[in-house]
Amino acid sequence: MKVLIVSYSDKGGGAAAGAVRLCEALNKAGVTAHIGVPYVNSDNPFVVALGKKRTLLQRVLGRLGREYESFKLKRFNSTNTILHSLNRFSLIDVDLINSSDYDLVNLHWICGNTLCARDIAKIKKPIVWTMHDSWPACGAEHHPNILEGDERYKSIYTRQNKPASTNGPDICRRVWKIKYKYLHDFPISFSAPSNWEAEVLRNSSLFGDKECRAIPNIIDSKVFKPLTYQEKFFFRSQYGLSENKITLCFGAADDFTNRKSLKGAYHLIEALKNLPNKEKYQLVVFGPSSNNFEKEVGIKTLFTGFQTNPAVLSKFYAMSDIFLCPSIIENLPFTCLESICCGLAVVAFNQGGVPDIVEHKKNGYLAECYNIEDFMHGIEYCMNDLSSLQSYAYSKSIRDFDNGNTVQKYIEYFEDVIRKHK
């Protein structure tokens, strides 16, 4: 079996990492797999370029098209802070896909004009579309506006059910209509990393009748793994952290004035500001952060900056005790998955696909959605039962997210879809 994984990029971001990890796992399992991208950004031997060869006129028209999309998005105003994509044209050449000898095409995150709905419908090979977010099942939005109970994706997008808080051109309705026109009756199967995302698809008016299997993301358990006590304390001292304090870990500690920010920094800041016994804690923050963060929370903080090297990132996880995930909505967040593989307890809101990773009071704490006091209580709960929670976290990562089992599920699904396509 030969599989072509189509992705926006081969480098950077959770979706790209998911595509790369799956490709490498498939090859290791004896399946020939490559990642097809518009432009190659890494030296990964499994990556192939599928970008269209364009004339000067086509490049100019493409640039005008991108500017037009940008203009539309600027006029669009929504309280849904999650990304929106029009995806009106394709950077990838579908003819290259159809003329290849791949048995199956596995679409991953294909926005950024990687592959539009019209061109997906031109693919002559069996397709499995892996949902890294809800964009396939929605209009232009990458996740529904859950803070306002928006369930538009479950029905036909009309002028009447447009959220009152959305102003400007109804790009969600326009993109949904394009998807419906080209893909509603098109033979296509889906996979989703989380049970929640699979349920979103099943409830959608676009693809509710399509097959969808929940198969988790591939995680490199040889990289993301616990440290010994000696190693943990060594790395803490190396970075100027106390050996004995409870170490909290999280990312994206910026944009904390926006209550609706996707990564939930506002809720995190408020929880930490009011956390009792702050002297018992210290913080490790990777990713973007605000200069005022440490002053706001009143807890000693190590800022690591962006970490693109998984081996280095795993050390910051593993020398910590509890991972905090205050996100508004997530599919199957790599941060939580990597955390339990490193033996951390996780505190998160009970939303999206997080419950697939966090079992309440067994390997962490699922707080009532966006309840800051309950999130704070979750931190205290984990601190008081840390050893038991951490032990269960690691055992769960082995039991539910073993790479061998996960890749075998993909292989069996791909083979099944190929058989049905003949």
Side-chain angles (χ1 to χ4, degrees):
M1 178 170 62
K2 294 189 68 175
V3 176
L4 176 65
I5 297 171
V6 178
S7 173
Y8 167 74
S9 177
D10 55 325
K11 188 176 181 181
V20 170
R21 290 174 181 175
L22 175 59
C23 181
E24 292 174 346
L26 286 169
N27 280 284
K28 187 177 180 180
V31 174
T32 300
H34 293 97
I35 301 174
V37 293
Y39 311 106
V40 177
N41 296 302
S42 70
D43 57 359
N44 191 315
F46 299 125
V47 177
V48 295
L50 297 177
K52 291 180 179 179
K53 293 181 179 179
R54 298 180 296 166
T55 64
L56 176 61
L57 177 60
Q58 288 172 327
R59 290 198 295 270
V60 170
L61 291 175
R63 181 172 180 176
L64 290 174
R66 289 191 296 274
E67 290 179 353
Y68 176 74
E69 285 193 352
S70 178
F71 171 72
K72 285 286 186 182
L73 288 170
K74 286 178 181 177
R75 290 184 59 212
F76 172 76
N77 183 32
S78 170
T79 57
N80 186 353
T81 60
I82 302 169
L83 182 67
H84 289 70
S85 296
L86 299 180
N87 226 46
R88 296 291 295 273
F89 59 92
S90 300
L91 296 172
I92 279 182
D93 189 343
V94 175
D95 290 338
L96 292 176
I97 297 176
N98 286 332
S99 61
S100 71
D101 62 349
Y102 292 103
D103 301 300
L104 178 138
V105 176
N106 179 208
L107 304 179
H108 279 246
W109 201 87
I110 55 166
C111 291
N113 294 311
T114 304
L115 200 57
C116 67
R118 182 180 62 255
D119 284 344
I120 292 173
K122 294 177 182 178
I123 296 175
K124 299 176 182 178
K125 300 175 184 292
I127 299 173
V128 173
W129 192 346
T130 298
M131 299 176 66
H132 287 285
D133 56 31
S134 303
W135 189 84
C138 297
E141 66 274 36
H142 283 251
H143 282 305
N145 191 352
I146 61 170
L147 293 178
E148 297 185 13
D150 179 18
E151 295 186 339
R152 206 179 186 195
Y153 71 98
K154 294 183 179 180
S155 61
I156 297 174
Y157 282 57
T158 67
R159 293 184 176 88
Q160 287 69 38
N161 62 12
K162 174 183 173 182
S165 60
T166 298
N167 300 307
D170 191 355
I171 63 172
C172 294
R173 176 171 174 263
R174 294 178 187 181
V175 173
W176 182 90
K177 288 176 69 176
I178 292 171
K179 291 178 185 175
Y180 191 92
K181 175 181 178 181
Y182 291 105
L183 299 178
H184 180 257
D185 296 320
F186 184 71
I188 187 169
S189 301
F190 291 84
S191 69
S194 69
N195 286 291
W196 169 79
E197 197 68 86
E199 193 64 19
V200 168
L201 187 87
R202 295 187 188 106
N203 287 330
S204 73
S205 56
L206 275 175
F207 301 122
D209 61 341
K210 306 295 186 184
E211 182 178 13
C212 181
R213 294 189 190 178
I215 306 175
N217 292 319
I218 296 287
I219 184 75
D220 192 343
S221 56
K222 290 184 178 180
V223 174
F224 294 97
K225 58 184 179 181
L227 295 172
T228 65
Y229 283 110
Q230 292 78 9
E231 289 171 329
K232 177 178 286 193
F233 294 147
F234 170 77
F235 282 110
R236 285 188 184 181
S237 63
Q238 195 176 39
Y239 288 98
L241 295 176
S242 169
E243 295 181 2
N244 302 315
K245 289 187 176 183
I246 299 297
T247 305
L248 308 176
C249 177
F250 52 94
D254 64 344
D255 196 20
F256 57 79
T257 60
N258 183 359
R259 288 174 175 264
K260 297 183 178 181
S261 177
L262 173 62
K263 294 301 180 182
Y266 169 84
H267 300 89
L268 177 67
I269 291 283
E270 292 302 309
L272 293 177
K273 281 165 61 175
N274 295 287
L275 190 65
N277 305 312
K278 291 186 182 183
E279 69 280 359
K280 294 182 179 181
Y281 300 95
Q282 57 193 356
L283 306 171
V284 175
V285 176
F286 54 84
S289 58
S290 165
N291 294 331
N292 297 324
F293 178 82
E294 187 171 3
K295 182 180 178 181
E296 284 282 332
V297 300
I299 302 174
K300 181 180 179 180
T301 305
L302 168 67
F303 297 100
T304 74
F306 280 104
Q307 295 296 326
T308 57
N309 186 327
V312 175
L313 180 60
S314 68
K315 297 296 189 297
F316 288 117
Y317 279 121
M319 72 180 191
S320 304
D321 297 305
I322 303 170
F323 182 78
L324 307 179
C325 178
S327 297
I328 300 297
I329 192 69
E330 294 277 7
N331 186 349
L332 192 80
F334 271 115
T335 51
C336 293
L337 193 51
E338 290 162 352
S339 293
I340 68 166
C341 287
C342 291
L344 274 69
V346 177
V347 178
F349 289 124
N350 188 8
Q351 49 78 17
V354 172
D356 285 7
I357 302 172
V358 182
E359 294 183 44
H360 188 51
K361 295 186 177 181
K362 289 186 176 181
N363 66 328
Y365 190 94
L366 291 173
E368 179 185 344
C369 277
Y370 325 126
N371 184 323
I372 294 171
E373 186 174 345
D374 197 29
F375 193 92
M376 182 176 65
H377 176 69
I379 298 173
E380 294 179 289
Y381 180 89
C382 290
M383 180 190 71
N384 293 324
D385 193 20
L386 200 52
S387 179
S388 174
L389 295 168
Q390 290 177 333
S391 177
Y392 191 92
Y394 181 61
S395 64
K396 180 177 176 64
S397 72
I398 296 173
R399 183 181 69 250
D400 293 349
F401 301 104
D402 174 75
N403 274 1
N405 293 338
T406 299
V407 75
Q408 192 57 40
K409 290 178 182 179
Y410 269 108
I411 292 171
E412 291 173 358
Y413 189 27
F414 290 166
E415 289 175 340
D416 188 36
V417 171
I418 291 170
R419 280 195 300 269
K420 291 177 180 178
H421 190 265
K422 292 180 178 179

